[in-house]
Amino acid sequence: MMKKILILAYTVAIAATAFASDTTRVKSSSTGVATRDEAPITLPQGFKSVVVTSGLGKARHIVVAANGDVFVKLEKLKEGKGIMRLHDANGDGKADEITGFGNYVGTGITIKNGYLYASSNDDVYRYKINEKTGTVDIASEEKIVTGLVNKNQHNSKSLALDNEGNIYVNIGAPSNCCQVQDRVKGSPGQDPCPILEQAGGIWQFKADKTNQSYAEGVRYATGLRNVVGLDWNTEVNQLYAMQHGRDMLFQFYPELFNQKEGAENPAEELFRLPKGADCGWPYCYYDNDKKQQLLNPEYGGDRQKVDRCADKVKSIAQFPGHLAPNALLFYTGNQFPAKYKNGAFIAFHGSWNRAPEPQAGFFVVFVPFKDGMPSGKWEVFADGFSGFTSSASTGKAKYRPCGLAQGPDGSLYISDDNNGTIWKVSYSK
Amino acid sequence: MKKVIPATIIFIIASAFAMQQPAGLKAAIARGKTVYEATCLACHQPDGSGVPNMNPPLVKTKWVLGDKKALTKIILKGLQGGEIEIDGDKFHNPMPPMESTLTDQEIADVLTYVRNSFGNKASMVTVAEVKALRAKLK
C-alpha cells in the first residue's frame, strides 16, 4: 500500500517537475518509431527515426561529414579503437560499413575546413579528412592541444570551432563546488577558487598549431563548473554552452532545500559566451524557485543573497536540476520545419542527483531561437530513451542521449553512450 | 560422555550467538539505513545500483563483501575517483572521506546495512572495528 502511494507520488512528481517549465510540450509525441527491435524513440508529428547502428558502447559526441559518414567518439575503446566511422552504402540510413581508428578514449569530435578534430580527456588531435569520400588520413594525426586538467571528475573535453581558425575546448572543474574537501558536508568553499586558473571554463586555442597548452591558450570564458554541450552559433558568430549545475544542495543544506527543491535546483543553464564571460561558478548558482542567480551556500548564500553574483553573466535559458545536458547543436538545416531553423537542440543524459526523487531527463529538447536568443519555451523533441514507465535508478535506463550532429541533408543524429546506439531523425510532410 | 561436554558448550555458545546476533543485526541495519539515506543514497542510489561511469554499485562487489578493514578505510578516507574498476569500467566521481562527518557508530551501522542490503549478505561491522582502524589510520 505504502509502495503504491509512493509510486503514485513519484509519477505525479515526474510529470509536475520535469515539465514544469514546458508549456509547449508536444502532446502526441508518438508518431516516429525506430526500426528493428530497438525500443522506439518518440518524436513530434512528421518525424521518423532509423537506427544507424547499435552496440558501439560508450558513444559520446558525433559528427557527420559532407558525404554522410558518421564519426563517433568513444569513451571506451571498441576493438582497440576510439573513433568509429559509420558508412551507409545504400542510402537507407543504416550503417553498412563500420571502421575505426585512434587508440584513445574521449568525448569531443567535430569537423571543420577539411580536418576532423577529436579529443581525449587530456589532449586534442586533428586529422585530414576528405569530406567528399569520408576518408580520414590517419597518418596525418597531429596533437594540437596537450596537458589539460584531467582528474577523472568532469574530464570530458568538448570541441567547437569558429570561422576564424580558433578551437574552443571546455575544461570541466574536477570539483562540485570548490570546497576545501570536495563533496564533504560542511567543508567550506575555497575563496578565491584556485581551480579556475586551469579549469572550470572554456579555453581558446589555434586550430592549426601543434602542442599548445595553457601558456598558448586563452581562457575565453570562466565560472563554468562543467560543460559538455558546446557549440558555435554561425548565425550570430558566438559561442554557447550548457553548464551542468552543482550537486548535493539537499544533502548538504537540508535547512535551505527540501528533498524536492534539491532535485529541482540548481538549474541546468544555457549560456551565450562573449570573450571574457564569467558565469559565476563556484560562487553562484541559478535558483529555479527564485528564478535568480544567487550566492552558493558554500560561500555564505542563504537563497536570498545575490552578493558578488550581481555582475556575473546570466544564462539565457534554464532547465530543471541535474538533467545533465551533454550536447548542444544549433540547427542550420533546411529539412526540418521553419521553426527549427537556427534553434537549439539539447541532449539531456538524464539525472542521478535527483534521488530519492524520481530521475528525469533522458531526452532531447528543442529551444526556438531568434537572433541568437531564445524566442520561446523549450519543448521535448525526442523522448522514450530511458524506457522507464515508473521511477527507476539511472543505471536501469536503456539509452542515455549524449551527442547530436546534423547531416548534410539536414537530418539530426543522436548518440547514446549506454549501449552505443545512433539514431538518424528526419522529417517529411 | 567426554565428548558431550564440549559439544554442549559449543551448542550453548552458538545458540546464544544466533539469538543475539540477529537482534543486534536488525537494529544496526535499521540505524544504518538512516545513515545511508542521508549520506550515501545520492551517489549510490536507493537500490545500491550506482550510476554508470559516475558512482559504482554496492551490489555484491568485492569491496562490500570483502575485507572489512579495506571497506572501512574506503569510508573513512574516501577515494580519488578512477580507483575502483568493475567489469572494465571506472567511475568519474570521487568518494568523499567520511572521517570528519560520521561517528564510529554511524560507519559501523551503515556498513552493516550495506553488507545486508541490495542482495548482499555478510557479517556485521562493529563499532570496535571502526574505532581500532580509525586510530590506526590517524
Side-chain angles (χ1 to χ4, degrees):
Chain A
M1 185 61 198
M2 192 57 198
K3 241 189 189 157
K4 272 199 184 144
I5 291 173
L6 269 180
I7 289 171
L8 188 72
Y10 277 175
T11 315
V12 173
I14 290 182
T17 60
F19 309 118
S21 61
D22 175 16
T23 50
T24 51
R25 182 154 198 256
V26 182
K27 296 243 163 39
S28 64
S29 58
S30 56
T31 40
V33 289
T35 52
R36 293 200 206 173
D37 306 327
E38 312 292 340
I41 56 168
T42 59
L43 296 162
Q45 197 83 39
F47 288 89
K48 63 177 190 346
S49 68
V50 55
V51 171
V52 180
T53 193
S54 58
L56 294 179
K58 298 186 182 177
R60 299 284 288 176
H61 283 177
I62 48 178
V63 65
V64 187
N67 77 327
D69 281 7
V70 183
F71 291 86
V72 185
K73 188 74 199 82
L74 300 180
E75 178 58 25
K76 189 174 187 178
L77 298 183
K78 187 166 170 65
E79 283 140 31
K81 309 295 183 207
I83 302 173
M84 292 312 215
R85 174 183 169 194
L86 317 178
H87 180 71
D88 170 15
N90 60 6
D92 65 356
K94 297 174 193 166
D96 307 298
E97 293 161 36
I98 301 184
T99 49
F101 62 98
N103 61 355
Y104 50 92
V105 302
T107 290
I109 192 158
T110 192
I111 293 175
K112 186 89 183 180
N113 298 338
Y115 283 91
L116 179 126
Y117 296 82
S119 66
S120 69
N121 294 324
D122 311 78
D123 309 309
V124 183
Y125 299 83
R126 74 169 187 173
Y127 307 81
K128 285 192 181 120
I129 180 172
N130 180 339
E131 276 218 70
K132 291 198 190 92
T133 60
T135 311
V136 174
D137 178 0
I138 297 164
S140 71
E141 179 181 290
E142 294 175 290
K143 194 186 271 189
I144 59 167
V145 183
T146 187
L148 304 179
V149 164
N150 171 9
K151 294 183 181 164
N152 282 297
Q153 193 179 173
H154 305 152
N155 65 355
S156 64
K157 307 288 184 289
S158 302
L159 305 174
L161 284 101
D162 64 16
N163 294 324
E164 266 104 60
N166 298 306
I167 186 165
Y168 300 85
V169 186
N170 79 280
I171 307 176
S175 171
N176 177 39
C177 202
C178 208
Q179 290 168 281
V180 173
Q181 275 190 298
D182 188 27
R183 295 176 191 266
V184 172
K185 188 173 177 171
S187 176
Q190 301 178 74
D191 198 357
C193 173
I195 291 172
L196 291 170
E197 287 162 28
Q198 297 211 319
I202 315 288
W203 266 255
Q204 182 197 52
F205 298 96
K206 293 274 166 266
D208 62 355
K209 247 179 86 184
T210 56
N211 286 313
Q212 305 164 84
S213 194
Y214 287 99
E216 293 79 24
V218 172
R219 191 177 73 174
Y220 191 80
T222 187
L224 289 158
R225 177 177 175 271
N226 183 33
V227 166
V228 190
L230 182 70
D231 199 12
W232 184 264
N233 181 320
T234 51
E235 191 200 9
V236 296
N237 263 317
Q238 210 151 45
L239 189 67
Y240 288 70
M242 282 296 311
Q243 175 178 238
H244 282 225
R246 55 152 315 158
D247 300 322
M248 303 292 184
L249 283 171
F250 162 60
Q251 287 81 12
F252 290 177
Y253 304 100
E255 66 285 359
L256 292 175
F257 296 86
N258 65 29
Q259 185 175 302
K260 176 144 184 315
E261 290 169 326
E264 289 304 327
N265 286 290
E268 304 289 51
E269 296 176 84
L270 173 59
F271 286 99
R272 180 177 177 162
L273 299 171
K275 188 174 180 180
D278 177 354
C279 301
W281 182 90
Y283 314 112
C284 313
Y285 77 101
Y286 188 95
D287 197 302
N288 262 332
D289 299 309
K290 318 259 174 190
K291 306 241 170 292
Q292 210 184 345
Q293 196 183 29
L294 296 173
L295 196 63
N296 256 319
E298 283 82 354
Y299 293 88
D302 57 1
R303 295 195 82 184
Q304 308 284 341
K305 279 191 211 122
V306 175
D307 208 68
R308 67 181 105 171
C309 305
D311 58 3
K312 303 295 183 197
V313 167
K314 304 290 180 273
S315 52
I316 57 170
Q318 299 84 26
F319 302 85
H322 313 293
L323 303 190
N326 271 11
L328 170 66
L329 177 122
F330 285 98
Y331 184 78
T332 57
N334 294 317
Q335 185 191 118
F336 289 7
K339 81 162 191 186
Y340 292 100
K341 187 88 180 197
N342 296 320
F345 285 101
I346 302 162
F348 285 98
H349 202 214
S351 64
W352 60 268
N353 198 228
R354 293 175 74 92
E357 293 287 310
Q359 304 297 357
F362 313 97
F363 51 33
V364 177
V365 313
F366 176 72
V367 186
F369 265 69
K370 197 171 184 309
D371 305 327
M373 291 300 280
S375 60
K377 291 258 164 73
W378 60 275
E379 62 190 41
V380 175
F381 177 77
D383 204 354
F385 294 92
S386 71
F388 292 168
T389 48
S390 63
S391 174
S393 288
T394 311
K396 303 273 184 334
K398 187 152 191 221
Y399 307 110
R400 300 187 71 190
C402 189
L404 295 170
Q406 187 183 306
D409 65 349
S411 297
L412 179 74
Y413 291 76
I414 306 169
S415 66
D416 134 68
D417 69 350
N418 225 11
N419 158 289
T421 301
I422 315 289
W423 292 266
K424 177 182 183 180
V425 175
S426 43
Y427 178 80
S428 58
K429 271 186 209 129
Chain B
M1 188 59 198
K2 260 186 190 161
K3 273 187 186 161
V4 172
I5 297 169
T8 319
I9 292 169
I10 287 169
F11 178 73
I12 292 169
I13 293 172
S15 58
F17 211 79
M19 284 172 74
Q20 197 212 337
Q21 163 119 351
L25 183 66
K26 227 176 132 188
I29 289 174
R31 289 192 306 268
K33 185 169 189 287
T34 314
V35 179
Y36 184 84
E37 285 169 354
T39 9
C40 324
L41 178 146
C43 292
H44 292 289
Q45 301 293 297
D47 59 358
S49 63
V51 180
N53 311 315
M54 299 295 295
N55 309 310
L58 300 178
V59 181
K60 295 183 181 157
T61 71
K62 65 178 185 203
W63 298 274
V64 170
L65 297 179
D67 176 44
K68 288 198 264 181
K69 277 201 188 105
L71 174 63
T72 309
K73 188 180 169 197
I74 290 178
I75 310 302
L76 284 168
K77 297 287 176 189
L79 297 164
Q80 295 287 310
E83 293 191 52
I84 300 289
E85 189 172 324
I86 297 176
D87 297 333
D89 287 333
K90 291 189 175 181
F91 302 89
H92 284 131
N93 262 342
M95 158 90 190
M98 303 286 174
E99 59 185 346
S100 65
T101 51
L102 295 182
T103 64
D104 294 339
Q105 180 78 55
E106 287 168 327
I107 291 174
D109 290 343
V110 77
L111 288 178
T112 299
Y113 168 73
V114 167
R115 280 161 66 89
N116 291 282
S117 306
F118 322 132
N120 301 322
K121 193 107 202 79
S123 61
M124 291 180 79
V125 174
T126 65
V127 181
E129 285 169 323
V130 179
K131 198 174 171 187
L133 189 70
R134 194 195 283 264
K136 207 178 129 202
L137 294 176
K138 268 256 160 70

